[in-house]
Amino acid sequence: MATTDLDLDPDTHDLVVRDGELQIQRDEGEVVAQRIRTRLRTWRGEWFLDAAFGVDYFGKILIKAPSLEQVLAEVREQIEAVPGVRRIVQLDVDYDAAGRILRITDGVVETDAGLVTLEA
């Protein structure tokens, strides 16, 4: 596992460039948190290099009457697949099936670098 990743802007999710240089994220815990956010924001099949990467939103979440257990299982599976994640300590979500909105309201993940808080 790499110890550095490119830094992403928390609002736009774009790469951060300062003085013409790509910024590198050096905090290993933040690297894992960034990888989790990236994975959860990627729809399965969206990334051309790995069609199995990302959340199966169409198959498991944005279906007619999905159960909260099914949704949480998919989210947990995606988080646990991120390199550096040891276990999910806490995962609280706000799920509106009718509005098709899923938001992590509180989450803590144990990583190789220690505990990481997941933000909504």
Side-chain angles (χ1 to χ4, degrees):
M1 174 174 51
T3 58
T4 60
D5 275 6
L6 295 174
D7 201 6
L8 298 178
D9 182 280
D11 297 322
T12 64
H13 314 295
D14 291 332
L15 295 172
V16 176
V17 179
R18 285 193 194 102
D19 300 323
E21 296 287 325
L22 283 173
Q23 298 300 294
I24 303 296
Q25 181 57 256
R26 288 183 169 76
D27 177 83
E28 189 63 33
E30 180 53 32
V31 167
V32 174
Q34 180 175 292
R35 288 177 181 166
I36 292 170
R37 288 189 301 271
T38 299
R39 189 173 194 101
L40 292 178
R41 291 176 178 147
T42 303
W43 294 55
R44 179 155 303 152
E46 179 179 3
W47 190 32
F48 74 98
L49 291 176
D50 184 355
F53 181 85
V55 179
D56 188 4
Y57 286 108
F58 286 126
K60 296 183 179 176
I61 296 176
L62 298 176
I63 60 174
K64 186 174 182 177
S67 70
L68 180 58
E69 293 78 23
Q70 180 178 347
V71 171
L72 286 176
E74 176 67 8
V75 170
R76 286 180 173 279
E77 179 181 320
Q78 294 303 316
I79 292 171
E80 291 169 347
V82 172
V85 170
R86 291 185 179 174
R87 69 183 179 97
I88 298 170
V89 176
Q90 178 178 346
L91 184 65
D92 298 328
V93 298
D94 181 20
Y95 180 56
D96 175 9
R100 296 183 174 196
I101 298 169
L102 174 70
R103 200 174 102 237
I104 295 175
T105 56
D106 194 15
V108 178
V109 176
E110 182 182 344
T111 72
D112 293 341
L115 294 178
V116 171
T117 301
L118 302 179
E119 300 171 0

